[in-house]
Amino acid sequence: NIFEGKDSSGNVKFYATHNGRVGAADGIIFGSDTAAANILDDYEQGTYTATITGQSAGSISLYSGDDTLAYTKIGNIVHIQGRIRLHIVNNSMSGQARLSLPFTAASGTEASSQGQSSVATHGVTLNESTDVGVFLESAGGSSLAYLNIIRYSQSWTAVTANQFGGLGATSNHYLAFNHTYTA
């Protein structure tokens, strides 16, 4: 049994199936607010294969099977999480390290306000006297997020290839991500 709502041309605009699946062509409205901006019209969850590249050139190879991050997209808000294991830094990697994102970050706003994140690290060299940790910065209009080091002084600096020291085939270095941004 399926319940369907159709428009005057016979196109299905709403349905509910016998097993509990519900669909709405234009999205879902909560409460009595009918403004188009308040319609939930997108939800997706899944995984994607992450990459880390240099801003100018090169990349970090990741262990196959340990290169996948999970994402949830609700409307235009995207949350990624998971852990990737680093393998080898390409000698030609240069510039700021960048992580691939599953969706392009929204344009038209400051990059630093695009995302909030927590990045746990094992294998990124930090200065214990000045550095607190690593965070991601989603750049508007890009499907890449920059890795930055936050300092005790609340300033920040780019994570570069030379801060991924001593990586080799037997290494167990990783980056664990918890990052939310606007797509």
Side-chain angles (χ1 to χ4, degrees):
N1 295 334
I2 296 177
F3 173 78
E4 294 179 334
K6 298 180 180 183
D7 64 13
S8 60
S9 299
N11 300 314
V12 175
K13 296 297 181 178
F14 170 84
Y15 68 88
T17 67
H18 67 282
N19 62 0
R21 181 172 287 189
V22 176
D26 290 336
I28 301 170
I29 297 173
F30 297 96
S32 60
D33 189 350
T34 61
N38 296 324
I39 296 173
L40 177 60
D41 59 359
D42 190 17
Y43 176 85
E44 182 178 335
Q45 59 184 0
T47 60
Y48 76 103
T49 302
T51 59
I52 295 181
T53 59
Q55 184 175 6
S56 304
S59 62
I60 295 177
S61 66
L62 306 175
Y63 280 95
S64 179
D66 288 337
D67 58 356
T68 303
L69 294 175
Y71 70 86
T72 302
K73 184 174 188 284
I74 303 171
N76 65 348
I77 303 299
V78 180
H79 180 75
I80 62 171
Q81 66 183 42
R83 184 179 97 160
I84 56 177
R85 192 160 58 124
L86 310 176
H87 187 44
I88 297 172
V89 177
N90 182 320
N91 289 337
S92 67
M93 184 171 155
S94 61
Q96 188 170 8
R98 305 176 305 173
L99 174 78
S100 62
L101 298 171
F103 301 95
T104 300
S107 296
T109 58
E110 288 296 317
S112 60
S113 66
Q114 281 293 329
Q116 298 297 317
S117 67
S118 170
V119 182
T121 65
H122 180 266
V124 176
T125 305
L126 299 177
N127 181 331
E128 291 182 15
S129 64
T130 60
D131 302 335
V132 176
V134 177
F135 73 99
L136 284 174
E137 179 183 24
S138 304
S142 175
S143 60
L144 299 167
Y146 292 91
L147 277 76
N148 296 300
I149 296 173
I150 189 72
R151 299 234 158 107
Y152 287 113
S153 64
Q154 297 182 351
S155 64
W156 58 270
T157 187
V159 173
T160 58
N162 62 358
Q163 288 166 304
F164 293 98
L167 295 181
T170 61
S171 69
N172 193 26
H173 300 315
Y174 66 84
L175 296 172
F177 297 96
N178 185 16
H179 180 63
T180 302
Y181 67 100
T182 306

